[in-house]
Amino acid sequence: MADVHIEGLTKIFAGKQPTTVIEDLNMEIRDGEFIVLLGPSGCGKTTMLRCLAGLENPTRGRISLGGQTVYDATRRVNLSPDKRSIGMVFQSYALWPHMTVRKNVAYPLRARGMKDKIKAGWVEETARLVDCESLLDRYPGQLSGGQQQRIALARGLVARPDLILLDEPLSNLDARLRDSVRTQLHELHSRIGFTAVFVTHDQSEALALGDRLAIMRDGIIEQFDTPQQVFDQPATEYVADFVGMTNVLLCEQRDGAWFFNGTVAAGEPPVLEMPGGGQLARVRIRPEDLRVAPTGESPGPKMTQLMARVEDAEYGGRSINVVASVGDNRLHARVPAGGWDSWVRKLGQGQEVCLGFRMDDARCYDEAGQREESPAGSQQATEA
Ligand SMILES: Nc1ncnc2c1ncn2[C@@H]1O[C@H](COP(=O)(O)OP(=O)(O)O)[C@@H](O)[C@H]1O
Ligand SMILES: [Mg+2]
């Protein structure tokens, strides 16, 4: 285990049109911390891991691992991957098909000349950690996807690296298996402790696994904080969208009234400081925080209310997914389905309804998608 310092890390891919994939990135990872990098495809997550591992040459910056500088552009330090104590787990399990599981797991030990550790039983011990001891003499082709990914995890851990990097390791598994391997990984981290950077584009994986999350956008980090804080107080509108606040309402105060997407609000008037003192705010809210009621009825206490038109209502088991338009904008509401004969189960296209939400559940951003309390959207990734 070790702490990791990343300072001013920049990666520009040369070419006819040079592309900056990582831009002046700063991050401090504590010893034993499980960090999740969350961002959409193409935002630079894999490039970042490859720079940490030494598989990619950064353009600028400094990386140190447990106090040792492994990369420093100005001092021309650049340790090769085998000189960095790092384990990697990939999306494609990348096991050697012609080797038994035992040989696959032992591979990093051989590659680093740690043959004595193979004798000392590290392979068996690590296989036991991921509950795969009984599979050691099989070949990868004889294993299920979930078993293969657990073996890949064992291979990443076996050399007791200072840092383990995981690049979307669960995304090739089917939904049920993904949940169970995720839980095993979480348990394993609590039990044996290791420093990890885990990359994903899946918010539920990020929330479940991360001690802290770094939300990435085009090579920069928009927010670096605990899952609770990111979920509850998204620093920018981009982050809000990424953690499920998918509904957007354009809010305007005019002639003493409040308008959302041009529709006048009734019920509890919103208590809202316009970000930056402007006239317009971008309000973000989760589908779970919208409620639907018959027109003329209150959707709930202390709710801001808007007239809306149902575009679609979809059965979702415990909930009904309602798409309703307010002005030109469509909103998604996920409302409790209620009993067999509940009103909400009978919603039909074109029906007028009252849509309600509590301003406490909404988050407001200025027209540039920033919050006024946190200028520049907490760019300082080094702050806890
Ligand atoms: N070797 C390369 N040469 C040029 N551009 C690259 C190279 N590798 C990745 N990129 C570009 O860098 C960006 C980030 O890629 P990547 O780190 O793989 O993103 P992610 O893992 O978040 O999906 C993409 O736009 C990709 O096209
Ligand atoms: Mg990637």
Side-chain angles (χ1 to χ4, degrees):
M1 290 208 286
D3 51 353
V4 185
H5 298 262
I6 304 167
E7 238 180 82
L9 189 72
T10 299
K11 172 66 189 175
I12 302 169
F13 282 109
K16 269 190 206 145
Q17 282 192 321
T19 26
T20 306
V21 175
I22 311 270
E23 200 175 346
D24 194 21
L25 191 143
N26 298 295
M27 191 184 263
E28 306 259 340
I29 301 172
R30 299 175 198 130
D31 193 18
E33 208 173 12
F34 199 110
I35 294 296
V36 176
L37 274 186
L38 176 66
S41 172
C43 73
K45 306 182 296 296
T46 295
T47 306
M48 160 98 168
L49 288 195
R50 289 175 55 83
C51 288
L52 289 175
L55 297 166
E56 200 76 74
N57 284 329
T59 312
R60 283 192 290 276
R62 214 173 78 85
I63 303 169
S64 76
L65 190 56
Q68 186 193 21
T69 303
V70 296
Y71 175 78
D72 188 336
T74 50
R75 288 171 47 210
R76 298 189 176 276
V77 178
N78 193 4
L79 296 192
S80 60
D82 58 310
K83 300 264 164 33
R84 304 183 186 193
S85 173
I86 286 177
M88 283 203 77
V89 182
F90 304 95
Q91 176 177 6
S92 58
Y93 323 121
L95 300 176
W96 301 106
H98 60 285
M99 286 185 190
T100 59
V101 166
R102 187 186 304 279
K103 285 207 163 144
N104 266 287
V105 174
Y107 190 80
L109 299 177
R110 278 181 205 285
R112 289 191 190 150
M114 298 161 80
K115 282 196 190 135
D116 50 325
K117 306 295 183 202
I118 301 176
K119 284 201 206 91
W122 278 27
V123 172
E124 287 76 8
E125 198 183 316
T126 313
R128 190 156 50 235
L129 281 177
V130 298
D131 204 13
C132 287
E133 216 183 357
S134 61
L135 306 175
L136 283 169
D137 295 314
R138 296 213 207 154
Y139 286 89
Q142 300 169 310
L143 305 178
S144 72
Q147 289 170 329
Q148 288 189 45
Q149 195 50 295
R150 295 208 312 265
I151 300 300
L153 193 59
R155 188 181 53 183
L157 288 166
V158 71
R160 310 288 196 270
D162 285 340
L163 173 66
I164 173 160
L165 305 175
L166 304 109
D167 195 352
E168 312 217 19
L170 309 181
S171 33
N172 276 352
L173 303 173
D174 67 56
R176 234 175 38 141
L177 208 51
R178 193 155 58 221
D179 286 354
S180 95
V181 180
R182 184 187 80 195
T183 306
Q184 283 169 346
L185 184 58
H186 188 247
E187 228 180 82
L188 191 64
H189 182 255
S190 329
R191 191 145 46 98
I192 64 170
F194 46 84
T195 312
V197 180
F198 179 103
V199 157
T200 182
H201 59 263
D202 181 288
Q203 66 142 324
S204 52
E205 258 174 36
L207 294 172
L209 287 170
D211 291 322
R212 283 190 292 165
L213 314 184
I215 317 296
M216 240 179 136
R217 172 192 203 173
D218 298 338
I220 65 158
I221 290 174
E222 291 250 329
Q223 188 170 12
F224 186 43
D225 216 324
T226 60
Q228 293 80 5
Q229 193 66 15
V230 171
F231 188 80
D232 197 54
Q233 301 293 339
T236 66
E237 194 184 1
Y238 173 88
V239 176
D241 190 54
F242 223 90
V243 294
M245 293 189 176
T246 46
N247 289 309
V248 193
L249 285 157
L250 291 176
C251 173
E252 197 182 356
Q253 190 178 24
R254 208 179 336 126
D255 312 324
W258 291 87
F259 293 83
F260 289 84
N261 297 339
T263 300
V264 68
E268 185 90 357
V271 182
L272 179 62
E273 289 267 324
M274 283 303 194
Q279 292 297 303
L280 213 62
R282 298 177 62 84
V283 174
R284 286 283 184 159
I285 190 145
R286 296 195 158 84
E288 295 82 357
D289 292 327
L290 288 178
R291 285 289 166 270
V292 179
T295 48
E297 282 182 33
S298 166
K302 302 211 161 158
M303 284 200 159
T304 300
Q305 300 171 17
L306 298 169
M307 289 289 289
R309 180 179 181 276
V310 174
E311 303 292 343
D312 191 32
E314 213 181 52
Y315 178 60
R318 291 275 172 84
S319 58
I320 307 286
N321 299 312
V322 182
V323 182
S325 50
V326 174
D328 294 338
N329 207 336
R330 286 176 171 228
L331 302 180
H332 290 251
R334 191 165 304 129
V335 297
W340 276 109
D341 55 352
S342 75
W343 169 81
V344 74
R345 287 176 187 255
K346 297 175 199 136
L347 281 177
Q349 203 180 15
Q351 199 169 331
E352 294 279 330
V353 291
C354 178
L355 205 62
F357 59 93
R358 289 165 16 121
M359 265 331 269
D360 282 355
D361 294 325
R363 296 291 172 266
C364 301
Y365 301 90
D366 65 18
E367 285 168 87
Q370 304 292 324
R371 293 188 82 167
E372 71 175 334
E373 308 85 53
S374 54
S378 89
Q379 273 270 350
Q380 271 337 91
T382 43
E383 282 174 19

